[in-house]
Amino acid sequence: MPTLPPHAFDRFAVREHDQAIRLILALRGFRQREFSRPAQEVHRLREGQAHRLYAHNAFARERWMRALGGQLCAALGARPPCYRPAQPVWFVTLIDRRQIVRGPSATRFARPDPTFREIRRTYAAAMTGLDYVGLLDPALYVSTQHQEGVPRLIQWHLHTLIWNISRTELDAWADGVRATMDAYLPGASSVDIAPVEPDDLLQMLWYTAKMPRKQYQVSRRESGSLKQYKGQINGVNAVRLYAAQRPLRLPHLTLAGGAGRPIRRRTLHTAARW
């Protein structure tokens, strides 16, 4: 089964491991209050645990991306050394404000937080009929007490790579999705579409499957509209996000449909040998 060689993913892997090192340092830091035995959590992030496919294990994330990417490149006719696809590929992001997890303190909301299974099912249903692979990604919003009545929340969204479809057909599909989904920020689109430049396929694959590394904050302008800020996630919030994702593994985060289903299935078979 095709797998991308290590050198094809070197610079992306460095970013993943740098983020993992920041998380490990934060787990060992005295400011974190999520885990009373942080050494056990650090153990989960070591190379020897990569076969367990923990979502925050950088070694697992790197191998998963190389295996998934190798299958995808083979399907797209993207061959080394440049890995340019032989057909158009689209990078698409879906955001649905109903897929927000506010946590156990969110008692004033009539609608309970969605379960991860519900989040996964909702986004998979929106992608019905498309050939795609993608990963669910949690965006951590902090200092949301004033806006949402809770100190922080997680907005789950989906990054995908789609092929075997024209821009006209993709726009028609997006219009249908926008009629059923609203983004978290008023005025923003629940579906974002961008063509993948042929030389950028590996970079967009990395972006689709990257470990979370940002935190977000929303404030209200004098006009009443909302403005979003983002920055590098700090150590305390990195641990909080890790705790929220702790039960999840990379196959849980990975969605695929149509011609993407065999890619996900073969990636699982490859991972079983690790």
Side-chain angles (χ1 to χ4, degrees):
M1 295 183 184
T3 297
L4 291 175
H7 66 80
F9 243 66
D10 274 351
R11 62 194 180 109
F12 309 124
V14 167
R15 297 178 187 178
E16 294 304 294
H17 288 283
D18 284 348
Q19 188 64 22
I21 290 170
R22 294 189 187 99
L23 174 58
I24 290 170
L25 292 175
L27 282 166
R28 290 173 171 164
F30 66 89
R31 289 189 176 89
Q32 72 89 11
R33 298 290 184 268
E34 299 293 325
F35 300 100
S36 59
R37 306 174 80 177
Q40 291 184 351
E41 306 310 317
V42 172
H43 178 75
R44 288 164 56 95
L45 303 178
R46 291 177 177 167
E47 185 172 10
Q49 299 295 304
H51 66 286
R52 300 187 185 277
L53 302 180
Y54 296 133
H56 273 78
N57 185 302
F59 299 96
R61 184 81 66 153
E62 177 192 354
R63 293 182 190 179
W64 185 259
M65 287 192 292
R66 286 176 52 209
L68 190 74
Q71 295 293 328
L72 178 62
C73 286
L76 296 175
R79 297 182 174 84
C82 297
Y83 295 99
R84 296 187 182 98
Q87 60 172 295
V89 182
W90 311 94
F91 176 71
V92 176
T93 298
L94 267 64
I95 301 177
D96 179 12
R97 66 174 295 115
R98 294 170 299 176
Q99 312 314 315
I100 287 178
V101 176
R102 296 179 173 88
S105 61
T107 56
R108 70 181 181 89
F109 296 92
R111 184 177 183 271
D113 284 346
T115 65
F116 184 77
R117 180 174 292 183
E118 290 169 341
I119 292 168
R120 182 183 168 91
R121 187 186 302 131
T122 297
Y123 282 121
M127 300 294 293
T128 299
L130 299 175
D131 296 327
Y132 76 96
V133 292
L135 271 80
L136 291 164
D137 189 30
L140 178 66
Y141 283 80
V142 299
S143 302
T144 55
Q145 189 69 47
H146 179 69
Q147 301 293 340
E148 296 288 346
V150 291
R152 67 196 66 88
L153 59 84
I154 294 174
Q155 165 72 81
W156 283 95
H157 54 286
L158 176 67
H159 294 305
T160 66
L161 293 170
I162 302 176
W163 63 99
N164 289 338
I165 190 170
S166 69
R167 181 60 192 252
T168 301
E169 294 170 320
L170 196 56
D171 284 339
W173 163 82
D175 288 341
V177 173
R178 292 186 184 109
T180 65
M181 288 184 177
D182 292 317
Y184 176 55
L185 294 179
S189 176
S190 57
V191 184
D192 183 71
I193 302 172
V196 176
E197 296 298 326
D199 289 335
D200 292 342
L201 179 62
L202 293 189
Q203 180 175 336
M204 298 314 298
L205 172 65
W206 167 77
Y207 190 88
T208 299
K210 66 178 173 53
M211 196 181 302
R213 62 197 60 231
K214 299 292 183 181
Q215 63 183 45
Y216 301 83
Q217 188 170 349
V218 173
S219 65
R220 193 170 295 278
R221 300 184 179 96
E222 290 184 5
S223 63
S225 63
L226 293 177
K227 180 176 179 61
Q228 177 175 281
Y229 303 87
K230 69 176 179 179
Q232 179 71 35
I233 192 168
N234 64 38
V236 171
N237 285 326
V239 173
R240 286 169 173 160
L241 190 55
Y242 166 76
Q245 277 195 277
R246 190 179 185 278
L248 302 177
R249 307 194 185 203
L250 292 171
H252 298 141
L253 299 178
T254 305
L255 297 183
R261 287 198 182 95
I263 292 174
R264 182 181 182 276
R265 183 171 61 250
R266 291 168 188 150
T267 302
L268 281 167
H269 290 165
T270 299
R273 297 197 299 270
W274 297 344

